[in-house]
Amino acid sequence: MTISENPVWSDSPRSKADIGGRAAFAAAVAARINAAPMGSSSTVYGLVGPWGSGKTTLLRDIEDRVTGETVWFSPWSAADVAAITSEFVAALSEAFPQAKDLKSRLLGYSRFGVPALKAIPFAGEAVSGVAAKAFEELTPPSAWHTEFQHISEQIQHLGKQVLVIVDDVDRLDANDLRALLRVIRLLGRFNNVHYLIAYDQMTIDQLLTSSGMVGRSSDFMEKIVQYPFEIPPTPAAERRRWARASVTVAVPEHAQLSDDFRAPTESLIGILAAGIETPRSAERLREQLAIFAGLASQAELDGLDFVAISWLRIAHHNVWEHVRSHREVFCGWRNTSEDATRSEQQVAISELVSASSAKAVWDAVLFLFDSSNELLAPVGRKRGIRSPRYFDRYFLLGLAEDDVSDAQTDAAVEQIIAGTSTSAEIEIFGGIILGDDAERAALALRVGRDSRRDDTPSIAMVDFLSAQRQDLDRTNRLHDFRQAGLERWLAREVALALASGDLDVEHAVAQFGYELLIASAHGIRGVSRGSENLIKAAFSGVAREWTETAGKQTLDEVLARPEMYSMLSFCAWLGSDIGRGVLERSISGAEDLVRVAEKFVTYSETLGYRTEYDVRFREAAFRFAVGDELSAERLAELPDLDDSLDYEITDRLTRDLEIAELRDYVVRQLRGLALSDKVT
């Protein structure tokens, strides 16, 4: 259903009962009313059901099947006892359009009846004061009693059965309800005049209790209504049809049958079918979904979650508000049944709803936030409310100004990969990355990276990200929140392109430099499990090219290269012979060995109540680089230690060692290698 198909929902009743079994129910009630013999005493029939259960539709269906005259009495449009009485008399007189004398008598009767009704105490009330005195005065036959008798005889003489239909009794306030029941119980009990009143028993009980009624209000209604007919519940199949119609507003039927939506759709249909019991509640949900489906689509919400949270908003608003105000709780659930937070929330939510609704409501909450069942949270539903990134959208029904459109970003990424040089989506995406808002840029980069569906290499994506990095560097915006996300994504794209051969090593080195390439390799290794094979396939050529170049340079030239340590460490990690002993031929003595060893000293940082540093010697990488030059003979040539120096190598408050300290530290590390017999 779309808004254009049903522009205004008026909650108008249907002309016929269209719920399974309702037509037969209407026929049975009408048959009982028709069975009343001519001249019988006034009888009150009740059509009992909760709000929205289709009482008015059933009243119309019953009316069509009743053989006698029917009139409708609308007490909720009157303001007081006098108005209700006048409205009743006017409605009743419509049944006798030709009997002018009777209509005149009825009008006079209403004037006599009003003071009597005000004086006669209501059931359960104490008779005291003015009311008691008025009641005593009415004990002898009075004008009211006389008129009642005359009217009753006239109605009986006309030989016509009349059914007064009273709808929406439960819309009255307590005083008007009492007045109505007085009219029916005392003023209108003419022979051949019967009543069919529709009401919600729970609401009537609450109204009568709030008005000060003594005793059980339901007992009193039994005295008023001789034949209460409880509307049968809606069959399960019909409730499932209602639920399916609501879901279809947000998720087309073909999508419901897809692998991603089939299981969760059926789960949600079951929940809604258990929670939606009346036609009115089904219509309200469907109409609300139709109104906001466009906004939900623009906000890129998961259709099923949109339906579920909308149902909570409409049918159980306090639960919806509770969820909205506890974002950190519901987005932080652990997917275990033993989760204490989950148990606490079940108790909290059960206190917000009636016992009859508790299970359906809790099942809806589980549907939204429990992702332990992967059938309910497949990959295709990644934009669900359980994600902190999308949670607020389900309540805003839109994108916040500083949010990023997933659909727009997906389109931009797909276009870039396809070779499109420019488009509206690409311009928007690039503008966010280069914009002033670093947090939004970081978010856009994450969304873009996540939108990559596979590992297909793309030189176009490498070039796009490289251009963004250069622009950010040029405008001094690179080194903020967006840097890590941009370089991590670029590293992945470069690795895929190198591994496939789409990007050759020479071009990669010229475009990015060794430092960025090796940092990229380490970045991939740090965030992607099982990435070793990709790294080796992608960067072995880079390591080989660097080794060949370094092997042709002097020791001073190699040591001056800023990427020397990181490159040789990477070569050692590769586990091959690429780069092993690359510095061996350049070392001519112990002094050269010391100079090389100094390049393998690093500093680890510890953050606590103060920042501290530890000095580390990377022995394995050093051994890999110098190869056979690390011999006992060479170590024997090491210079003497300087015992006059006093410096810390752990828990340091400053990072770097002084020149003399560094030299002494390295010599001690190298001597330690000899003393511990690690070199033969």
Side-chain angles (χ1 to χ4, degrees):
M1 181 183 71
T2 64
I3 294 177
S4 60
E5 293 170 346
N6 186 17
V8 177
W9 178 61
S10 61
D11 194 21
S12 298
R14 294 176 173 83
S15 59
K16 293 286 184 182
D18 59 356
I19 297 174
R22 292 284 177 91
F25 175 81
V29 173
R32 181 62 192 86
I33 295 172
N34 291 334
M38 189 65 68
S40 61
S41 300
S42 180
T43 303
V44 180
Y45 305 95
L47 189 62
V48 186
W51 281 359
S53 58
K55 294 190 293 294
T56 303
T57 298
L58 269 171
L59 287 175
R60 291 184 174 182
D61 205 345
I62 294 168
E63 180 186 21
D64 289 345
R65 301 170 191 271
V66 169
T67 56
E69 188 78 22
T70 60
V71 295
W72 288 72
F73 172 32
S74 303
W76 53 270
S77 63
D80 52 27
V81 174
I84 288 176
T85 306
S86 298
E87 180 69 22
F88 164 72
V89 169
L92 183 59
S93 65
E94 290 179 7
F96 310 100
Q98 305 303 322
K100 295 182 179 180
D101 182 56
L102 176 58
K103 293 180 71 173
S104 177
R105 278 187 176 275
L106 284 170
L107 291 174
Y109 177 68
S110 67
R111 292 194 294 271
F112 289 126
V114 170
L117 290 177
K118 290 182 176 179
I120 295 175
F122 199 55
E125 294 176 336
V127 181
S128 61
V130 176
K133 184 176 185 300
F135 187 74
E136 291 172 0
E137 292 176 353
L138 288 170
T139 301
S142 64
W144 172 45
H145 294 89
T146 302
E147 281 301 299
F148 178 87
Q149 187 64 32
H150 286 318
I151 292 172
S152 187
E153 289 174 357
Q154 270 190 279
I155 291 175
Q156 190 164 351
H157 176 72
L158 291 172
K160 180 185 290 189
Q161 293 268 27
V162 178
L163 179 68
V164 180
I165 300 174
V166 188
D167 195 10
D168 296 325
V169 172
D170 40 28
R171 291 190 185 183
L172 299 172
D173 62 24
N175 291 332
D176 290 344
L177 173 63
R178 290 152 61 95
L180 170 65
L181 295 179
R182 281 189 174 101
V183 168
I184 293 175
R185 187 75 178 87
L186 301 171
L187 197 63
R189 302 302 292 273
F190 305 112
N191 290 348
N192 290 342
V193 177
H194 309 293
Y195 298 86
L196 176 58
I197 65 175
Y199 59 92
D200 171 27
Q201 183 65 58
M202 183 178 296
T203 303
I204 293 296
D205 289 347
Q206 292 172 349
L207 286 170
L208 293 178
T209 300
S210 67
S211 69
M213 159 126 355
V214 179
R216 291 176 55 213
S217 54
S218 56
D219 290 343
F220 174 71
M221 288 302 293
E222 292 179 6
K223 298 176 183 178
I224 298 291
V225 181
Q226 289 82 56
Y227 291 91
F229 300 116
E230 191 83 32
I231 296 177
T234 304
E238 182 69 16
R239 295 200 304 270
R240 285 184 63 86
R241 281 190 282 272
W242 292 343
R244 181 80 62 186
S246 292
V247 171
T248 303
V249 173
V251 182
E253 289 187 0
H254 72 272
Q256 296 176 31
L257 298 175
S258 67
D259 291 340
D260 283 340
F261 282 89
R262 184 181 292 109
T265 295
E266 293 312 306
S267 178
L268 180 57
I269 293 295
I271 293 169
L272 294 178
I276 301 175
E277 298 183 351
T278 67
R280 178 179 294 159
S281 58
E283 289 285 356
R284 288 183 68 210
L285 174 59
R286 194 156 56 246
E287 177 67 14
Q288 287 283 311
L289 292 172
I291 292 171
F292 295 114
L295 295 180
S297 177
Q298 292 175 18
E300 300 161 358
L301 306 185
D302 173 81
L304 297 179
D305 282 5
F306 165 59
V307 173
I309 197 65
S310 295
W311 176 64
L312 290 179
R313 175 175 61 83
I314 296 165
H316 303 281
H317 191 273
N318 49 354
V319 175
W320 177 86
E321 182 63 33
H322 176 79
V323 171
R324 186 197 65 79
S325 59
H326 290 79
R327 179 181 190 273
E328 70 290 345
V329 172
F330 289 98
C331 289
W333 269 8
R334 296 194 306 272
N335 297 320
T336 63
S337 58
E338 295 79 17
D339 184 10
T341 300
R342 174 169 158 159
S343 299
E344 291 170 2
Q345 288 305 312
Q346 185 170 10
V347 172
I349 288 175
S350 67
E351 294 175 350
L352 297 174
V353 298
S354 64
S356 60
S357 301
K359 185 179 186 308
V361 170
W362 179 244
D363 286 346
V365 173
L366 289 179
F367 177 86
L368 291 169
F369 296 102
D370 181 11
S371 59
S372 59
N373 185 347
E374 292 302 321
L375 291 177
L376 303 184
V379 175
R381 298 188 58 228
K382 66 179 183 178
R383 296 173 187 168
I385 192 174
R386 68 179 62 86
S387 168
R389 164 150 165 66
Y390 303 105
F391 180 89
D392 290 338
R393 294 191 191 182
Y394 284 85
F395 301 92
L396 294 171
L397 284 178
L399 287 172
E401 290 185 0
D402 58 352
D403 206 340
V404 175
S405 167
D406 296 76
Q408 199 172 67
T409 302
D410 288 351
V413 170
E414 290 175 4
Q415 291 165 6
I416 292 168
I417 293 173
T420 303
S421 58
T422 183
S423 70
E425 290 81 6
I426 294 174
E427 289 182 7
I428 291 172
F429 183 49
I432 295 174
I433 295 174
L434 300 176
D436 295 333
D437 191 337
E439 290 289 4
R440 191 181 186 211
L443 175 60
L445 287 163
R446 195 191 74 179
V447 174
R449 186 178 70 247
D450 291 345
S451 73
R452 287 284 266 137
R453 301 284 188 257
D454 52 40
D455 287 339
T456 303
S458 171
I459 291 295
M461 183 57 72
V462 171
D463 291 341
F464 173 81
L465 294 175
S466 177
Q468 303 303 303
R469 188 180 187 280
Q470 291 172 8
D471 285 345
L472 287 171
D473 199 17
R474 186 178 65 253
T475 57
N476 295 319
R477 292 180 178 176
L478 178 61
H479 303 292
D480 56 26
F481 306 124
R482 76 195 92 195
Q483 180 179 10
L486 175 58
E487 294 188 344
R488 186 179 300 165
W489 187 4
L490 177 58
R492 182 79 178 176
E493 297 293 345
V494 168
L496 292 172
L498 281 170
S500 67
D502 291 351
L503 178 64
D504 63 75
V505 172
E506 184 178 353
H507 185 191
V509 171
Q511 184 173 0
F512 302 108
Y514 289 109
E515 285 187 285
L516 180 58
L517 289 173
I518 298 308
S520 298
H522 287 298
I524 297 172
R525 182 185 176 191
V527 299
S528 302
R529 293 182 179 179
S531 59
E532 288 82 359
N533 292 335
L534 173 61
I535 295 173
K536 290 177 181 179
F539 294 98
S540 291
V542 175
R544 188 176 292 108
E545 198 275 342
W546 185 89
T547 300
E548 291 175 358
T549 301
K552 300 174 184 178
Q553 293 180 319
T554 65
L555 182 61
D556 288 341
E557 289 174 328
V558 175
L559 295 181
R561 300 184 71 150
E563 79 283 352
M564 186 208 73
Y565 167 73
S566 59
M567 180 59 74
L568 287 174
S569 296
F570 178 69
C571 289
W573 176 84
L574 285 175
S576 67
D577 287 333
I578 300 175
R580 185 181 298 276
V582 67
L583 301 182
E584 180 181 346
R585 72 168 188 82
S586 302
I587 298 174
S588 58
E591 194 61 37
D592 288 342
L593 197 64
V594 171
R595 292 170 59 207
V596 171
E598 288 177 346
K599 296 294 183 179
F600 290 85
V601 175
T602 61
Y603 301 87
S604 61
E605 184 178 76
T606 302
L607 298 177
Y609 72 95
R610 65 179 184 180
T611 302
E612 297 177 339
Y613 303 91
D614 292 343
V615 185
R616 294 284 185 267
F617 178 60
R618 303 303 179 182
E619 178 185 339
F622 172 73
R623 284 176 173 275
F624 178 87
V626 299
D628 292 338
E629 270 301 315
L630 194 59
S631 63
E633 291 79 6
R634 186 67 72 195
L635 293 175
E637 300 172 2
L638 290 170
D640 295 333
L641 302 175
D642 188 350
D643 293 329
S644 66
L645 297 173
D646 183 17
Y647 57 93
E648 300 290 339
I649 59 173
T650 61
D651 302 333
R652 291 174 55 84
L653 298 181
T654 58
R655 180 181 181 276
D656 297 318
L657 294 170
E658 299 292 338
I659 294 176
E661 294 171 344
L662 176 60
R663 177 181 174 82
D664 183 70
Y665 172 74
V666 165
V667 171
R668 290 178 186 275
Q669 297 303 308
L670 295 177
R671 283 183 176 276
L673 295 178
L675 293 174
S676 60
D677 261 350
K678 292 183 180 178
V679 179
T680 60

